[in-house]
């Protein structure tokens, strides 16, 4: 019966949306009606309103949507959606202030004389507006009002004109900053948590181990990662649009003729184009650049964009008037001044130590005040001119409210869907399909594409993604990243704006297109662009690095880059080191041989022993890595025979788990009915019969298990264990080869620090003799801390610590000054001995040790570095950008 109510839920939602009922009420309304119907049917049929729910009851699922929504979006950490009103404000402000119109006109005049150039300019401007406005309706309407008449006057075919404008207007949904990407990132962050749990359970079921290695965890995403991941695919789509128009224009010269520019390409034209093009490009660079460089979060970048759009609107609305550019000059000049000040001084009001810092803080405050004056002046202009600010704020509030109401409704709909077991039905359907991950993925993409004919992108993102994303992300055979899945879904969802009958871009364009343009022409025009979007989807799907590389590169080169010992990076780091060994192995071996000849006479025996052992061990790094890679090669060789058996067994085991879950639920239901409704004989008999069928199915599934599975699995487990041991051994070898060298180098460099500390340590003797024990203890502790900061000065610090303890008074003993002086003398003796050998060894050995460390730091010593060097980071980013099949470990 639960399936029946899943069908009722879907039909109610589809019917409400098809009838034109507002989405914000169709989603929660369908959920509430379905839950009430299920509760009423359960009450009438069995006397229990919970009867037709997979788990829980109507009260649980009526409140679950609101509870989940509040739990997710009221958390302080979950502030991603704050960026939505900021980017909406930015887009609407640019559209209402005619900046988008200026851009369209200027680019059309610049590219028009080329065959197909007017169409190419529309795509180019659409891409720029996508990166500045990101508002579909505003972009399509603006380009439809300005470009369509010009294209019609110049004999462009109506189907090509309307298709180009509609498709270009939708670029804002995939080119960042994009509301679609923000919503997808938010939905996927929840899906990653569920997928991680699913994959952990899968690993536990397959291996019997309770914890899964972190390198097998599902890769999460954020709005910033989604922005970076979508950038290259968005540009690929722009390139496909331009290439299509260019080719069509040369094949059929009558549908996209050149448009001669009636004016002249003079200085005034250059100034006009520059003023139209440079400010939006600057805004794009600042907004996206601040995210890319890590200067700002997505929310902060949205605030930057909103303020920047307001400043641009402030001079555009006053165009032709005196002092039109003054607010922009004040704001821009003050920003430049702040950048210069912060690059020259460290501006920190708490760290003012002299007149230089005080001057820097004062100048920064003045520049900030000037910037605020420029922004407030621009806000005043937008407020006073045609009530622009009021209109923008109202449209922003409407759009933002719509998004959040739909999110709330979708949360309620998803809860009802789960309450009826719909999520399990989808999971069983996808996991039961032959063909593995790619079959599941293609089906999901096809469903999203079809839904795009009828639903808006928000409904698809918030209803479909939470259901299917955890299943796709959990699959270890593809091991896809969340950002790749999000961009693929985003590209797919983008087609929903063009596909009839409910393509919103078509509606917007129809509203501003003249009667001479037939609706059929518009439908005909978008078909090739929908095809191009699907081609882009195939290109990105076949080449994951197009999505993954940029976010990974920025992560590895950023200030918060993970250290080289991060488990997720090890496979690619070892590939990099292997390549480096192949290319520079002779130089590294030569450096090791040179290090073996160091004269360590005079160096304390324990230190000399550690250094000698480290240099000797370094020779074994080459062999250890070769042995580890040999185990990987053995696994690859065995995988051809093992993987088909493993895949079949895991499928059978999954069917057995589903069988066991249904059998348990059926048996539990029979017992429940026998206790509560013993007269309902027919239902009890039907359920008992189903339990018998499930038991028979279980026996059939168990009989399907391949006979060779146990032996094949045991042999392959041995190979995996050997690989794990080999790589652990390699990592142990390189770590023990490099760390003692670092310690030795810091020890030699500490000679000067010990000399600087010599007078203070010797002076403690007089303090111990003459001062109060409490004060002496404070003085010793201060010097003791400084000694502890010097590598290899542990014996000195230990002696000082003993002296300090001798001065401590307790209930049972008094301070022993004589004993303290003895310990102090030990510290002085250790200090003089340390200085003697360190100074001598530093002169003779330090340059050699530094040269050796420089020769091995990016290979043998790479794991011990605080962060990856640039060359290694770029290699690892490229390596990590591809998806790696990890299913053999499951």
């Amino acid at each position: 019966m639960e399936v029946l109510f899943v069908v009722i839920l879907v039909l109610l939602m589809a019917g409400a949306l098809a009838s034109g009922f507002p989405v914000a009420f169709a989603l929660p309304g369908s959920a509430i009606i379905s839950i009430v119907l299920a509760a009423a049917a359960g009450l009438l049929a069995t006397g229990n309103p919970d009867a037709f729910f997979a788990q829980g009851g109507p009260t649980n699922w009526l409140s679950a949507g609101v509870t989940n929504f509040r739990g997710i979006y009221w958390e302080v950490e979950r502030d991603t959606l704050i960026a939505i009103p900021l980017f909406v404000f930015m887009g609407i402000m640019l559209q209402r202030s005619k900046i988008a119109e200026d851009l369209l006109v200027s680019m059309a005049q610049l590219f028009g004389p080329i065959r197909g150039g007017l169409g190419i300019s529309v795509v180019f401007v659409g891409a720029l507006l996508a990166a500045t406005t990101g508002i579909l309706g505003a972009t399509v309407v603006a380009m439809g009002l300005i470009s369509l008449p010009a294209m019609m006057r110049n004999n462009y075919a109506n189907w090509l004109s309307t298709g180009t404008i509609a498709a270009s207007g939708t670029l804002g949904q995939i080119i960042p900053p994009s509301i679609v990407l923000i919503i997808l990132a938010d939905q996927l962050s929840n899906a990653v948590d569920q997928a991680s749990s699913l994959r952990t359970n899968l690993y536990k079921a397959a291996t019997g181990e309770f914890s899964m290695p972190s390198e097998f965890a599902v890769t999460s995403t954020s709005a910033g990662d989604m922005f970076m991941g979508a950038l290259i695919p968005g540009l690929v789509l722009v390139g496909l649009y331009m290439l299509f128009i260019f080719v069509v224009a040369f094949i059929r010269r009558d549908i996209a003729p050149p448009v001669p520019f009636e004016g002249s390409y003079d200085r005034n034209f250059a100034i006009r184009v520059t003023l139209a093009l440079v400010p939006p490009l600057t805004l794009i660079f600042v907004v996206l650049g601040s995210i890319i460089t890590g200067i700002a979060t997505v929310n902060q970048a949205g605030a930057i964009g909103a303020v920047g759009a307001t400043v641009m609107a402030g001079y555009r609305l006053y165009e032709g008037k005196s002092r039109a550019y003054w607010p922009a000059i004040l704001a821009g000049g003050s920003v430049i001044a702040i950048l210069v000040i912060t690059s020259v001084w460290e501006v920190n009001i708490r760290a003012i130590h002299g007149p230089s810092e005080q001057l820097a803080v004062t100048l920064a405050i003045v520049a900030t005040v000037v910037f605020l004056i420029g922004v407030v002046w621009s806000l005043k202009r937008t407020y006073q001119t045609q009530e622009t600010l009021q209109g923008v704020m109202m449209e922003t509030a409407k759009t933002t409210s719509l998004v959040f109401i739909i999110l709330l409704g979708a949360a309620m709909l998803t809860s009802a869907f789960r309450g009826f077991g719909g999520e399990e039905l989808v999971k069983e359907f996808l996991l039961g399909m032959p063909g593995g991950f790619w079959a599941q993925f293609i089906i999901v993409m096809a469903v999203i594409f079809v839904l795009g004919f009828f639903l808006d992108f928000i409904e698809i993102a918030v209803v479909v993604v939470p259901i299917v994303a955890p299943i796709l992300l959990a699959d270890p055979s593809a091991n896809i990243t969340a950002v790749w899945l999000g961009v693929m879904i985003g590209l797919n969802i983008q087609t929903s704006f063009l596909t009839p009958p409910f393509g919103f871009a078509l509606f917007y364009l129809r509203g501003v297109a003249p009667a001479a343009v037939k609706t059929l022409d518009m439908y005909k025009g978008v078909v090739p662009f929908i095809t191009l979007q699907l081609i882009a989807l195939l290109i990105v799907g076949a080449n994951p690095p197009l999505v993954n590389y940029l976010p990974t590169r920025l992560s590895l080169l950023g200030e918060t880059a993970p250290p080289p010992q991060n488990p997720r990076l090890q496979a690619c780091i070892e590939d990099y080191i292997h390549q480096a060994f192949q290319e520079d192995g002779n130089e590294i071996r030569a450096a090791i041989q040179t290090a073996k000849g160091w004269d360590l006479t005079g160096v304390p025996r324990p230190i000399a022993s550690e250094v000698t052992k480290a240099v000797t061990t370094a020779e074994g790094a080459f062999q250890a890595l070769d042995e580890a890679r040999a185990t990987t090669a053995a696994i690859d060789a065995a995988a051809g025979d093992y993987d088909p058996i493993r895949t079949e067994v895991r499928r059978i085991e999954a069917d057995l788990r589903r069988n066991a879950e249904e059998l348990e639920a059926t048996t539990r239901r029979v017992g429940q009915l026998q206790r509560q409704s013993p007269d309902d004989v027919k239902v009890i008999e039907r359920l008992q019969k189903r339990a018998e069928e499930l038991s028979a199915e279980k026996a059939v599934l168990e009989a399907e298990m391949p006979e060779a599975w146990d032996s094949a699995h045991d042999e392959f487990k041995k190979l995996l264990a050997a690989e794990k041991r080999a790589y652990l051994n390699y990592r142990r070898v390189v770590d023990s080869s490099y760390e003692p060298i670092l310690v030795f180098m810091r020890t030699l460099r500490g000679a000067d620090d010990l000399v600087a500390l010599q007078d203070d340590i010797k002076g403690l003797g007089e303090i111990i003799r003459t001062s109060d024990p409490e004060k002496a203890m404070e003085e010793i502790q201060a010097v003791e801390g400084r000694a502890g900061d010097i590598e290899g000065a542990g014996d000195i610090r230990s002696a000082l610590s003993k002296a300090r303890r001798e001065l401590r008074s307790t209930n049972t003993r008094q301070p022993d000054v004589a004993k303290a002086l003895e310990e102090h003398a030990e510290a002085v003796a250790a200090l003089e001995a340390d200085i003697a050998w360190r100074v001598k060894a530093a002169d003779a050995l330090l340059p050699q040790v530094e040269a050796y460390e420089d020769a091995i730091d990016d290979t043998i010593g790479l794991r011990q570095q605080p962060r990856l060097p640039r060359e290694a980071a770029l290699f690892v980013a490229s390596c990590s950008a591809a998806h790696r099949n990890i299913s053999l470990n499951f």
Side-chain angles (χ1 to χ4, degrees), residues 151-289:
M151 298 174 87
M152 293 177 68
R153 282 197 308 270
N154 290 281
N155 300 317
Y156 267 64
N158 285 344
W159 69 266
L160 181 61
S161 302
T162 54
T164 301
I165 292 171
S168 301
T170 65
L171 289 171
Q173 307 311 306
I174 195 63
I175 294 180
S178 162
I179 295 174
V180 175
L181 297 177
I182 295 174
I183 294 176
L184 283 172
D186 185 77
Q187 297 296 318
L188 285 169
S189 65
N190 295 327
V192 166
D193 295 337
Q194 298 178 47
S196 296
S197 178
L198 289 173
R199 186 177 287 186
T200 302
N201 292 336
L202 185 62
Y203 186 82
K204 180 180 177 181
T207 65
E209 298 180 14
F210 287 96
S211 61
M212 182 178 68
S214 59
E215 58 263 35
F216 298 153
V218 180
T219 304
S220 187
T221 187
S222 64
D225 289 338
M226 289 292 291
F227 281 5
M228 294 305 98
L231 186 58
I232 295 177
L235 296 178
V236 168
L237 195 57
V238 171
L240 287 174
Y241 286 175
M242 289 183 173
L243 181 63
F244 169 75
I245 295 170
F246 185 77
V247 171
V248 167
F250 271 82
I251 293 176
R252 297 183 58 186
R253 303 196 168 200
D254 57 320
I255 66 172
V259 180
F261 178 45
E262 297 176 357
S264 58
Y265 294 105
D266 54 11
R267 179 184 175 187
N268 291 332
F269 177 79
I271 293 173
R272 189 166 69 253
V273 171
T274 301
L275 289 176
L277 186 60
V278 171
L281 284 176
T282 303
L283 189 61
I284 295 169
F285 174 78
V286 171
V287 171
L288 295 183

Side-chain angles (χ1 to χ4, degrees), residues 322-610:
S322 61
R323 297 182 294 181
Y325 292 94
W326 280 30
I329 292 172
L330 287 177
S334 60
V335 169
I336 294 172
I338 291 172
L339 291 175
V340 171
I341 293 167
T342 53
S343 65
V344 175
W345 293 286
E346 182 182 354
V347 180
N348 187 342
I349 201 167
R350 294 182 178 181
I352 298 178
H353 302 300
S356 177
E357 291 85 356
Q358 187 171 3
L359 175 63
V361 171
T362 303
L363 291 175
I365 292 173
V366 171
T368 303
V369 171
V370 172
F371 172 77
L372 292 174
I373 291 172
V375 172
V376 172
W377 196 348
S378 299
L379 282 169
K380 181 180 178 182
R381 285 185 173 183
T382 58
Y383 179 80
Q384 294 176 339
T385 307
Q386 303 171 3
E387 296 186 344
T388 302
L389 182 60
Q390 296 93 313
V392 171
M393 294 291 288
M394 186 62 69
E395 289 299 317
T396 300
K398 288 180 181 178
T399 304
T400 306
S401 300
L402 175 66
V403 170
F404 276 88
I405 290 174
I406 291 175
L407 286 172
L408 175 57
M412 296 182 68
L413 182 76
T414 304
S415 293
F417 190 77
R418 288 172 177 159
F420 298 132
E423 191 173 35
E424 287 301 315
L425 290 175
V426 172
K427 181 179 176 182
E428 288 178 14
F429 170 73
L430 290 177
L431 295 179
M433 290 185 59
F437 168 82
W438 289 108
Q440 301 166 16
F441 180 72
I442 291 170
I443 289 293
V444 169
M445 289 290 108
V447 168
I448 290 175
F449 178 73
V450 172
L451 288 176
F453 283 75
F454 311 102
L455 301 180
D456 189 10
F457 74 93
I458 298 180
E459 294 106 84
I460 297 174
V462 300
V463 174
V464 178
V465 173
I467 296 171
V468 301
I471 300 170
L472 297 176
L473 288 171
D475 194 313
S477 63
N479 194 29
I480 60 173
T481 60
V483 65
W484 179 83
L485 179 61
V487 170
M488 290 293 290
I489 293 174
L491 278 170
N492 199 348
I493 287 176
Q494 190 180 353
T495 62
S496 68
F497 295 100
L498 298 180
T499 47
F502 300 119
F504 287 91
L506 301 177
F507 287 153
Y508 289 127
L509 188 56
R510 177 70 277 174
V512 298
V517 178
K518 298 179 180 179
T519 303
L520 188 61
D521 288 335
M522 296 171 60
Y523 285 177
K524 178 183 175 183
V526 297
V527 169
F529 289 96
I530 293 173
T531 304
L532 292 174
Q533 288 177 336
L534 295 177
I535 291 173
L537 196 64
L538 291 174
I539 292 172
V540 176
N543 299 278
L546 290 176
V547 175
N548 294 328
Y549 176 73
L550 196 53
T552 307
R553 173 184 171 131
L554 294 174
S555 171
L556 294 177
L557 292 177
E559 292 296 326
T560 58
Q565 288 193 1
N566 187 298
R568 300 185 69 91
L569 303 179
Q570 295 313 301
C572 289
I573 285 177
E574 281 145 9
D575 285 347
Y576 170 79
I577 294 174
H578 176 72
Q579 179 177 303
F581 279 172
Q582 298 298 313
E583 295 174 355
D584 305 320
N586 291 335
E587 289 82 353
I588 297 171
R589 289 186 177 93
I592 294 172
Q593 291 301 319
T594 302
K596 281 186 169 184
W598 290 343
D599 182 7
L600 298 178
T601 304
V603 177
R605 185 184 298 273
I607 297 176
S609 176
E610 286 293 323

Side-chain angles (χ1 to χ4, degrees), residues 602 751 754-755 757-759 761-762 795-796 824-840:
L754 283 179
V755 170
L757 196 61
Q758 187 173 18
D759 291 341
I761 292 178
K762 290 183 177 180
D795 52 348
I796 300 172
H824 172 258
E826 290 288 339
V828 172
L831 171 69
E832 291 175 344
D834 261 16
I835 290 176
W837 81 259
R838 288 195 199 208
V839 171
K840 182 179 178 181

Side-chain angles (χ1 to χ4, degrees), residues 229 297 329 439 571 598 764 821 832 871:
T297 64
I329 292 172
W598 290 343
L764 289 175
L821 288 172
E832 291 175 344
E871 182 181 354

